[in-house]
Amino acid sequence: MKTIRGLLLGSGAVIFAAAGAQAADLPLKAKAVEYVKVCSLYGAGFYYIPGTDTCIKLGGYLRAETALWTNSNYGGAYNAQAGAQNRLSNHYQARSREDFNIDTRTATEYGVVRTYFDAVFTWTSGTYSGVGNGATQYSTGAANSAGLTSFNNLSNDGISGGTLGVYYAFIQFAGFTMGKAVSQFDAPWTNYPSNNFDGLVGGGGTVNGVNQFTYTADFGQGITAAISAEDQAQFFTSNIWNTSGITASGVLSGTYGLNAIGGTVAPDIIGMVRVDQAWGLFQASFAAHDNHAAYNGVTESTGHPEDKWGWAAQLALSIKNIPTGAGDTLNIQGVYTDGASRYNFQSLANTSYAMYGGSNFAYQSIGFAGVADAVFAPGRGLSTVQTWGMRGGYTHNWDPHWNSGLYGAYAQVRYGSTGSALVCAGIAASGVLSAGSTCNPDFNLAQIGLITRWTPVKNLTFSADVTYSHLDQKFSGTAIAPTVASVAKPAATYELKDQDTVSLLLRAQRNW
């Protein structure tokens, strides 16, 4: 009996132990899932980051485009192989790009704290150039004027390489903007009053963002004002030419000497006032720019010219919902610069021009021109270059899916008596101009274009943008040119003549 009772108690203990072990293996009750919540404080597309009071929005676009009759997606056939108008000139140029941006905002007792980051991944086709022995070499599209950095991974051959660019990376807090953002000098449409064409002159443009420290005051009723210190090195300095280094080949490429720019000393100081109303907006901008040259020669013992401050002033006007149709807009701006030419020839516009064409008596014709902030020669101070320009665009909506834009730009460059004398003395020493030819580095550039866009569904747009450009150069006579191997131009006599070019930009873009 005792044996049976012991067996029963032992069996019960084993059963209860096993049951306890199974109970211990059962999962505990899970916490409720914290779903992402919509943040309606800052508009559509924002969500709360789980566990925080910070809202985030992701966005971007994918773009595929082809430019015809140019070697650059940024502009027309203004120089190098494109300007040569020969068998090295591209009949088309391709580019594909993915843009990705992150916008975060947090409400605080000081107001909204905002961060914004925008990066682009780009692949661009390249160009064949002559190497001087009858052969050519291919250069990829990795190097461009948008401040992008190459990371090609197949020996830089561009097959599956590309570029990584940082457009914007800034913090906004209590009225301050710190980091890489659009310049306060720019009109709200930056380089694009109605166009997709990147190389439009006639105003400031930092569409890729510039490092800055800015304070913006909001006075209410749509009135704001800003004061800003902005990095001048990449976006706001064109050229400071030492004319003692002028060469014949340099002149033919639109370069009037050695580009002798010193280190950064002072940022550009920019002030802006804007009135933004239902009818449109008005903006006035001013910039001060320090021209800081390097040395007169190879070493510091050769001396240097003293710094000279330049400046720029711009007015911009936008009129919305004009009588021609709902949503139609008119954007116009005008600028004057003295020693600060990049505020007219914006960061994606060319600063050198070398365009070839036909001639009735010489081998061919050429029109060359160059843009500088200032020029100097050893023992001479800086002579600043004056420019003025304007651009504008009108956009008409035919219906909810179609619109067209007509746009244009014009810029003048004037070297002044001192600057012209320095440049022409260097050109005379190079022997590039024939006897009896006239030397004058001044020039004008006119551009006009027409764009049509089709948006069949929301956020998907196809566009075609055609741009005509006219270079009005002021040299006359002929040039005795040396061989320019990179563009396969022989040593010959060339007529100095105005030049024209047309380009077409076809684009498909999906925003998200």
Side-chain angles (χ1 to χ4, degrees):
M1 189 70 175
K2 289 181 179 181
T3 302
I4 295 173
R5 185 170 63 183
L7 289 171
L8 291 173
L9 290 173
S11 299
V14 171
I15 293 170
F16 279 114
Q22 291 176 357
D25 290 340
L26 291 174
L28 298 175
K29 186 177 180 181
K31 292 184 178 180
V33 176
E34 188 173 4
Y35 293 100
V36 176
K37 296 186 297 184
V38 173
C39 174
S40 58
L41 297 175
Y42 310 110
F46 281 91
Y47 297 88
Y48 282 102
I49 298 175
T52 74
D53 57 356
T54 296
C55 298
I56 186 170
K57 180 180 180 180
L58 306 180
Y61 62 80
L62 194 146
R63 175 187 297 170
E65 62 186 15
T66 298
L68 305 182
W69 312 306
T70 178
N71 288 50
S72 169
N73 287 74
Y74 294 101
Y78 295 138
N79 59 19
Q81 288 75 26
Q85 298 296 318
N86 60 16
R87 293 184 67 84
L88 298 183
S89 305
N90 284 351
H91 288 224
Y92 71 91
Q93 177 90 4
R95 181 170 64 184
S96 298
R97 169 175 292 170
E98 171 63 35
D99 176 280
F100 176 67
N101 57 68
I102 306 170
D103 191 347
T104 71
R105 306 189 194 191
T106 307
T108 73
E109 60 269 30
Y110 296 98
V112 175
V113 176
R114 183 192 185 197
T115 67
Y116 189 82
F117 174 77
D118 188 356
V120 292
F121 303 87
T122 306
W123 182 91
T124 307
S125 60
T127 294
Y128 284 96
S129 59
V131 295
N133 61 0
T136 61
Q137 65 181 5
Y138 185 76
S139 59
T140 69
N144 56 54
S145 57
L148 307 180
T149 304
S150 170
F151 66 92
N152 288 349
N153 59 8
L154 289 179
S155 302
N156 203 34
D157 63 3
I159 300 300
S160 59
T163 57
L164 170 64
V166 176
Y167 276 11
Y168 311 123
F170 61 83
I171 300 170
Q172 290 181 319
F173 172 70
F176 291 93
T177 299
M178 299 156 281
K180 198 167 186 281
V182 171
S183 171
Q184 304 303 311
F185 188 89
D186 291 3
W189 50 87
T190 59
N191 311 337
Y192 310 97
S194 184
N195 50 297
N196 286 345
F197 178 79
D198 287 315
L200 211 60
V201 298
T206 56
V207 67
N208 306 126
V210 58
N211 281 333
Q212 61 188 269
F213 185 84
T214 299
Y215 179 73
T216 303
D218 190 338
F219 300 102
Q221 305 298 316
I223 302 173
T224 57
I227 183 72
S228 183
E230 303 186 6
D231 178 28
Q232 66 149 271
Q234 187 172 10
F235 285 98
F236 300 133
T237 300
S238 61
N239 299 290
I240 300 177
W241 279 321
N242 181 342
T243 59
S244 67
I246 286 178
T247 64
S249 59
V251 170
L252 296 175
S253 67
T255 302
Y256 302 141
L258 302 171
N259 199 11
I261 301 172
T264 54
V265 173
D268 282 16
I269 307 301
I270 294 174
M272 180 274 292
V273 177
R274 181 184 300 169
V275 179
D276 197 338
Q277 303 291 324
W279 53 264
L281 67 85
F282 171 80
Q283 178 178 307
S285 310
F286 180 84
H289 173 81
D290 178 39
N291 290 294
H292 180 72
Y295 295 103
N296 292 324
V298 177
T299 68
E300 60 187 35
S301 62
T302 59
H304 60 82
E306 296 300 317
D307 287 17
K308 191 170 185 178
W309 281 82
W311 60 276
Q314 177 177 268
L315 299 177
L317 176 68
S318 178
I319 302 176
K320 303 176 183 178
N321 298 319
I322 55 181
T324 55
D328 290 5
T329 58
L330 177 64
N331 298 322
I332 55 174
Q333 62 194 103
V335 66
Y336 181 86
T337 74
D338 185 351
S341 301
R342 269 298 190 191
Y343 289 96
N344 186 353
F345 289 78
Q346 45 86 9
S347 61
L348 297 181
N350 284 69
T351 56
S352 63
Y353 299 82
M355 302 166 63
Y356 290 83
S359 174
N360 293 326
F361 62 88
Y363 173 73
Q364 288 180 351
S365 65
I366 183 174
F368 53 80
V371 180
D373 295 329
V375 297
F376 72 97
R380 305 287 296 271
L382 292 177
S383 177
T384 55
V385 177
Q386 295 79 43
T387 80
W388 75 268
M390 59 184 298
R391 65 177 173 230
Y394 162 67
T395 301
H396 173 65
N397 294 282
W398 302 101
D399 61 35
H401 302 288
W402 289 88
N403 71 51
S404 296
L406 178 65
Y407 62 89
Y410 181 79
Q412 285 191 356
V413 176
R414 297 292 181 264
Y415 279 78
S417 57
T418 301
S420 294
L422 291 173
V423 171
C424 289
I427 290 178
S430 75
V432 70
L433 295 186
S434 304
S437 297
T438 301
C439 177
N440 185 349
D442 298 345
F443 74 97
N444 308 322
L445 182 67
Q447 300 163 316
I448 189 169
L450 177 66
I451 182 171
T452 295
R453 302 177 181 92
W454 175 47
T455 305
V457 296
K458 184 178 180 181
N459 294 327
L460 176 64
T461 300
F462 302 92
S463 60
D465 187 354
V466 60
T467 308
Y468 164 79
S469 302
H470 175 73
L471 175 66
D472 176 18
Q473 55 87 50
K474 301 302 180 182
F475 292 91
S476 64
T478 58
I480 305 171
T483 299
V484 184
S486 62
V487 294
K489 293 297 181 182
T493 298
Y494 292 80
E495 180 186 1
L496 300 173
K497 185 179 178 182
D498 296 352
Q499 302 292 335
D500 306 279
T501 185
V502 175
S503 63
L504 174 65
L505 181 63
L506 303 174
R507 175 180 294 175
Q509 181 166 317
R510 171 74 162 94
N511 297 336
W512 56 274

